[in-house]
Every structure is written in structure tokens, then in C-alpha cells.
Amino acid sequence: QVQLVESGGGSVQAGGSLRLSCAVSGSIGTNYCMGWFRQAPGKEREAVAVIDRDGSSAYTGSVKGRFTISRDNAKNTLYLQMNSLKPEDTAMYYCAARRFCIRPSIATTLLTQYGYWGQGTQVTVS
């Protein structure tokens, strides 16, 4: 049984930083992509950053240059380093995994492609 567990959320002031982690247990396969998604109150869930097994990554425009997605395949862990945080980054952040994926792009990412989801971790920027 696959489980994804996020951690690292919290409350920070604008301009601050947070690092989210997502630990994966269970077997997803070999060539799977992972991603960070977020959902603010009253808004739809959106893709923030995605990455494949080899490190090919993509970001939504609003976080480019501020957020960095990475993964440690040996530790089955996904990370999101968030710098220069803004109030508009406030949301519940979810990690997710998608099987049989290489070189993902934000433009073609659909929530329905990701079959495994964590419970989310709250990020609040004031």
C-alpha cells in the first residue's frame, strides 16, 4: 500500500522560507513522477512543481525562481524548498505521485494523472 506523508508546513512572514518534505512508502514503480500541488481556500487545486525520476522538473510561473523541487530516490522523499514566500502562496500543499512518467510539464499536468496523494500540509504566509 502506497502512502505519501507531507511535513514541513507552517506559518512564516512574507519573504521567509520553508522546506516541505514528502515521504513515500510502498512501491509505486520505477519511472514515476512526483509533484507538489496547492489549494487555497475557494480556489481549485493547482500544480506547483513536478519532477521525474531523473530530476527533470517544471514549475508554474508564479513560483519560478523562488521554489525548488527535488527528490531523493534512495530515501523515497520529495522536497520543495520555498524561498521569498508571498501571502499569495498561502495554501494547503499536497504531494502526489504519478506512475509511468518522464519529463513532466506543468502545461500538460492534470490532477487526474496523479493516483497517489498525501493528506497535505498547511503553509500560511503573512
Side-chain angles (χ1 to χ4, degrees):
Q1 184 176 358
V2 176
Q3 284 191 317
L4 282 66
V5 179
E6 303 96 336
S7 61
S11 297
V12 295
Q13 292 187 336
S17 298
L18 282 174
R19 188 193 195 204
L20 306 183
S21 298
C22 173
V24 181
S25 60
S27 178
I28 298 177
T30 303
N31 291 326
Y32 65 94
C33 291
M34 296 200 71
W36 288 100
F37 298 76
R38 67 185 179 186
Q39 187 167 18
K43 295 189 176 181
E44 294 186 352
R45 192 171 300 188
E46 64 170 347
V48 175
V50 291
I51 187 169
D52 70 6
R53 176 181 173 80
D54 295 326
S56 179
S57 60
Y59 299 86
T60 193
S62 63
V63 307
K64 283 182 180 178
R66 300 189 297 122
F67 291 10
T68 302
I69 189 172
S70 61
R71 61 190 281 179
D72 185 330
N73 293 325
K75 294 182 178 179
N76 291 330
T77 303
L78 177 72
Y79 304 98
L80 185 68
Q81 178 67 44
M82 305 186 294
N83 298 327
S84 302
L85 282 161
K86 304 176 181 180
E88 50 263 44
D89 295 317
T90 295
M92 184 71 79
Y93 283 71
Y94 300 89
C95 72
R98 170 190 173 189
R99 299 178 66 189
F100 309 121
C101 165
I102 58 172
R103 299 192 191 96
S105 75
I106 288 292
T108 59
T109 292
L110 300 173
L111 301 185
T112 52
Q113 296 168 332
Y114 285 75
Y116 306 96
W117 291 84
Q119 293 300 307
T121 186
Q122 178 67 37
V123 171
T124 302
V125 185
S126 60

